[in-house]
Amino acid sequence: MQEKMRGKQPEMVSSPRLKPASKAQTALELILGLFFCFGYIWILIPLHRSWLHILWITVFISFLFWSRRNRNEGWRELGLTLHNSIHSGRILLPATLTGILLLSVLWGMFHPVNLDFYRKGEFWYGIVEYFFWALFQQYVFLVFFFRRLRDLFSPRPLPAILLSAILFSAVHIPNAPLMILCLLGGLFWAWVYNKYSNLLTISLSQAFFGVFCSKVLLIYMIVGPYADADRWTKQYITRCIIDTVNGMEVVDTKKPPVEISTKDQEIIVQGWIVGVEEKIDGISAVMDGKDHPVCYGFPREDVVVYYQNPDYLYSGFRAIIPLEGIDPGLHAIRLKVYLKNRAFPHYPRRRAVWARLR
C-alpha cells in the first residue's frame, strides 16, 4: 500500500495549519489588494515622489505578510519551496518552449526580431534579474489574488483562474501586446499553480518568457499612465532631446536634477524632436500631471547635420511652464507627442528631465 501511495502524483489538499477566513474578510482583502496595485500605477507614478513610492510599497508588502500570517499559511502551501517543483516543471518546460517558438514565428511575420540576442550577456543576466521580479508578481497574483478568489468560489477553481488572469492582464493597461500575453500566460500559470502549487518554477517560466519578449522579440514593455496605448514594439517612433532648462544645459537625463529657484516665475524648456515615420501633429510638456503648450518648428541646423536629413531642420521646440501654484521639491518634465497617424499620444520614455524647485 505504501509503495502504491509513493507512486501517485501529489494532490492539492488543504493543510490543517491553514486558518479559515470568512468570505467578507476575503473580499475586503481582495479590494485592498486591488487598491494597492492599481493605485500605485495610476496614482503614485504621476506624482514623482520617491518617499511616497517607498512608503506605498512598504505598506503593501507589510499587508501581504500580515494577510499570510493571519491565515497561518505556510511556505509549502504557498508554493515557495521545492515541493511539487518536478511535477510543475514537467508541464511548464515544454509549454514555455512551445509558447516561445510559436510566438516567435507569429511575431516575426509582422515585427522585427533580434536574432543576435545570444551574443549579449544582458539576455542571460536579465533572466536572473527578472526571476525575482516575476516571483514578486506571481506572489501577488497567485498567492494573494488567486488563492483568495479560489476561497470565494470554492469548490470551483475555474472562476478564480479566469479572474486572476484578467487582473494580471489589467495591470498592464494600456499596453495591448502585454495585456494579451499576460492574459494567456496568467490563465496557464494559474491552472498549473492550482494543480501543483510551486511558485518558483512558474516564476522561472515567466522570467524566460518575459526576457525573451523584451530582448529578442523587442516587444514594447512599458505600462501605466506614460505608456503608448497603440505601440507594440520598441522601434523608434520619435527622436528627441531636451537641451536646456532655464538656460542650463541638460547633458544627461540621469545626472542630478536641474536646480530651479522659486524666485523664477516660469520654467523654460527647449530642445528638438522629430517623428521617425509619422509627422508630429502637436506636443505638450507634462509636469505634475498637467499639460503645458509647446511651440514647435524652430530651426535646428545641428540636428540636420547630425542625422544628415534636411527634413529635420524645423525640429526645435520651446515650452514655458509657469511656476505659480507649484510646490517646492522634485518634479519630472516629460514630453507628450501627438503623431498624425496615431490615435493615442506618445511618451518618449527615456527623455524625462528632473527639476528641483527650491
Side-chain angles (χ1 to χ4, degrees):
M1 178 65 71
Q2 290 181 353
E3 294 296 327
K4 292 182 179 180
M5 291 296 291
R6 289 174 185 171
K8 290 185 177 180
Q9 295 182 345
E11 299 178 357
M12 291 296 299
V13 295
S14 23
S15 169
R17 297 175 54 217
L18 297 182
K19 182 179 179 180
S22 66
K23 290 195 173 183
Q25 178 185 337
T26 301
L28 180 59
E29 289 183 5
L30 287 171
I31 293 173
L32 288 174
L34 290 173
F35 172 74
F36 276 116
C37 290
F38 289 93
Y40 178 79
I41 296 173
W42 295 99
I43 298 176
L44 254 69
I45 287 180
L47 294 181
H48 305 291
R49 298 291 188 272
S50 298
W51 68 271
L52 275 178
H53 289 215
I54 295 172
L55 178 61
W56 190 282
I57 294 172
T58 302
V59 174
F60 183 35
I61 293 176
S62 300
F63 168 71
L64 294 176
F65 275 93
W66 169 84
S67 178
R68 182 199 70 83
R69 186 178 182 85
N70 186 57
R71 289 169 171 261
N72 199 25
E73 294 173 319
W75 300 119
R76 177 168 172 169
E77 287 83 11
L78 300 182
L80 287 168
T81 65
L82 295 179
H83 179 66
N84 281 339
S85 59
I86 295 178
H87 298 287
S88 176
R90 286 174 178 172
I91 300 175
L92 288 166
L93 179 59
T96 301
L97 295 177
T98 302
I100 286 176
L101 179 61
L102 290 176
L103 184 59
S104 299
V105 174
L106 293 174
W107 191 267
M109 294 171 62
F110 304 98
H111 301 290
V113 176
N114 175 27
L115 298 179
D116 295 329
F117 69 95
Y118 60 91
R119 297 181 180 179
K120 296 183 178 180
E122 63 181 11
F123 175 83
W124 310 107
Y125 294 135
I127 294 176
V128 177
E129 294 175 357
Y130 197 87
F131 169 78
F132 295 99
W133 172 232
L135 184 62
F136 176 74
Q137 290 185 64
Q138 295 297 347
Y139 185 94
V140 172
F141 288 98
L142 291 182
V143 170
F144 182 80
F145 283 115
F146 170 72
R147 291 177 68 90
R148 281 149 188 77
L149 287 168
R150 190 173 61 182
D151 290 345
L152 284 180
F153 292 100
S154 179
R156 297 173 299 170
L158 289 181
I161 293 174
L162 177 61
L163 288 175
S164 64
I166 291 175
L167 291 178
F168 187 45
S169 173
V171 296
H172 295 84
I173 294 173
N175 190 319
L178 280 190
M179 290 179 64
I180 296 171
L181 293 176
C182 289
L183 178 62
L184 298 175
L187 289 169
F188 175 67
W189 290 323
W191 174 78
V192 173
Y193 182 79
N194 181 67
K195 189 175 180 65
Y196 303 117
S197 58
N198 188 283
L199 213 63
L200 302 178
T201 52
I202 293 174
S203 300
L204 189 60
S205 171
Q206 184 187 345
F208 270 99
F209 202 79
V211 174
F212 187 85
C213 288
S214 176
K215 303 297 184 183
V216 182
L217 303 186
L218 304 177
I219 293 177
Y220 181 61
M221 303 293 284
I222 308 302
V223 303
Y226 297 120
D228 302 353
D230 54 357
R231 189 172 179 183
W232 284 66
T233 75
K234 292 181 178 180
Q235 289 177 295
Y236 280 111
I237 295 179
T238 60
R239 293 190 178 102
C240 69
I241 287 179
I242 295 178
D243 289 325
T244 62
V245 176
N246 279 21
M248 291 174 282
E249 186 177 1
V250 180
V251 180
D252 188 350
T253 56
K254 296 181 180 180
K255 295 291 184 180
V258 178
E259 301 292 336
I260 305 294
S261 172
T262 53
K263 296 179 181 179
D264 297 335
Q265 296 182 350
E266 58 193 16
I267 298 177
I268 301 176
V269 181
Q270 297 185 92
W272 61 269
I273 181 169
V274 295
V276 174
E277 295 181 356
E278 296 91 351
K279 291 185 178 180
I280 293 175
D281 199 31
I283 310 172
S284 296
V286 182
M287 190 171 92
D288 293 348
K290 185 177 180 181
D291 291 6
H292 301 274
V294 172
C295 295
Y296 179 62
F298 297 102
R300 290 293 300 256
E301 290 83 359
D302 57 329
V303 180
V304 173
V305 172
Y306 184 84
Y307 285 104
Q308 296 294 309
N309 190 336
D311 294 336
Y312 291 177
L313 177 59
Y314 297 101
S315 58
F317 69 84
R318 186 172 185 262
I320 299 177
I321 303 175
L323 291 179
E324 183 179 358
I326 298 179
D327 298 328
L330 197 61
H331 302 271
I333 304 171
R334 66 177 70 246
L335 298 179
K336 179 192 287 186
V337 184
Y338 296 89
L339 300 169
K340 286 191 175 181
N341 296 327
R342 293 183 180 263
F344 300 96
H346 161 63
Y347 295 92
R349 180 66 179 177
R350 302 296 181 185
R351 299 300 178 184
V353 170
W354 292 89
R356 189 186 304 277
L357 184 60
R358 294 185 181 276

